[in-house]
Amino acid sequence: DADVTQTPRNRITKTGKRIMLECSQTKGHDRMYWYRQDPGLGLQLIYYSFDVKDINKGEISDGYSVSRQAQAKFSLSLESAIPNQTALYFCATSDPTLNTGELFFGEGSRLTVL
Amino acid sequence: GESVGLHLPTLSVQEGDNSIINCAYSNSASDYFIWYKQESGKGPQFIIDIRSNMDKRQGQRVTVLLNKTVKHLSLQIAATQPGDSAVYFCAERYSGYALNFGKGTSLLVTP
């Protein structure tokens, strides 16, 4: 089983719909992240959370919200999806005690907004 | 904001040759520089990182070089294999946690 699991893996929706992408991890890491990847571009940080009570905006948080339900779960919501939110979304975790730049990524959730 | 960029979007090498993927960065405050590999349909996987106070670090078949004078980072892959075909991203870590990713270089290994 994957250490970082994202659901759904693929989703097609319509403009204006509410969408939730879920992430769960078995690594026991306190830090979790949501990134967005567009074709031909690098990953951009949407939100990050250092523990259950600590949630912070990343560089492209507009139009998104998150919820950290437990140490192992971090969900990303699009309250009213729009076409330019069509992208590949990645959840990631990290362990600050390692003091490296390593993030552990899920397999991604591909979202298409029509 | 400051950015991390890659010199070449695609790189084609023959199996068995060495590969060199380059990256330029501009944030002098970054404390770690990291290379990730992303295979089709998968999430990025950590390859190797280097602290800002080092200039070279070696792993299994990979070497990362950091030149702070010209703000340049490179990833060298020895004896490139078909399984090395993927997109490679460099990233810099700033503020102790956030990663700024480059756009990626696609490495294609030909027989």
Side-chain angles (χ1 to χ4, degrees):
Chain A
D1 286 345
D3 293 323
V4 183
T5 303
Q6 293 183 229
T7 56
R9 294 292 313 279
N10 288 284
R11 181 73 184 269
I12 300 174
T13 191
K14 295 182 179 179
T15 297
K17 294 292 187 181
R18 183 179 188 274
I19 296 297
M20 179 180 286
L21 305 179
E22 299 185 344
C23 177
S24 63
Q25 52 118 343
T26 58
K27 299 193 72 67
H29 292 168
D30 285 329
R31 295 185 175 185
M32 297 187 74
Y33 310 78
W34 275 103
Y35 280 88
R36 167 179 171 157
Q37 184 177 36
D38 293 283
L41 299 179
L43 285 77
Q44 296 175 281
L45 182 62
I46 307 173
Y47 269 94
Y48 61 98
S49 170
F50 283 178
D51 64 40
V52 175
K53 297 180 181 179
D54 179 67
I55 292 178
N56 304 277
K57 293 181 178 180
E59 54 188 311
I60 57 162
S61 59
D62 287 349
Y64 302 94
S65 62
V66 291
S67 174
R68 185 82 184 266
Q69 301 94 326
Q71 187 209 35
K73 296 186 182 294
F74 192 35
S75 60
L76 175 72
S77 293
L78 289 68
E79 296 300 325
S80 180
I82 56 177
N84 75 2
Q85 290 178 311
T86 293
L88 187 54
Y89 292 86
F90 287 102
C91 174
T93 73
S94 70
D95 179 355
T97 65
L98 296 178
N99 199 27
T100 73
E102 184 170 6
L103 297 182
F104 298 85
F105 285 88
E107 300 279 85
S109 295
R110 184 171 298 280
L111 176 66
T112 302
V113 183
L114 301 177
Chain B
E2 297 188 66
S3 62
V4 176
L6 292 170
H7 293 309
L8 295 173
T10 59
L11 178 64
S12 182
V13 298
Q14 278 199 310
E15 183 177 355
D17 287 352
N18 296 334
S19 303
I20 300 177
I21 302 172
N22 296 303
C23 178
Y25 70 91
S26 56
N27 190 339
S28 300
S30 296
D31 62 348
Y32 273 93
F33 300 88
I34 311 105
W35 284 98
Y36 284 87
K37 173 185 180 183
Q38 185 176 23
E39 296 175 312
S40 181
K42 295 187 177 181
Q45 284 184 294
F46 173 88
I47 302 173
I48 191 169
D49 63 3
I50 186 168
R51 292 182 67 167
S52 58
N53 63 354
M54 300 172 64
D55 53 20
K56 181 178 180 179
R57 189 171 185 214
Q58 289 183 295
Q60 188 175 12
R61 281 201 307 118
V62 294
T63 300
V64 56
L65 299 178
L66 177 62
N67 185 329
K68 293 181 287 293
T69 302
V70 295
K71 296 182 179 176
H72 184 267
L73 183 71
S74 69
L75 177 71
Q76 300 178 1
I77 305 173
T80 312
Q81 302 169 359
D84 294 327
S85 292
V87 176
Y88 291 80
F89 292 95
C90 64
E92 55 183 340
R93 191 180 86 165
Y94 59 96
S95 302
Y97 64 91
L99 295 187
N100 181 25
F101 285 84
K103 292 184 172 62
T105 290
S106 178
L107 176 65
L108 176 63
V109 182
T110 57

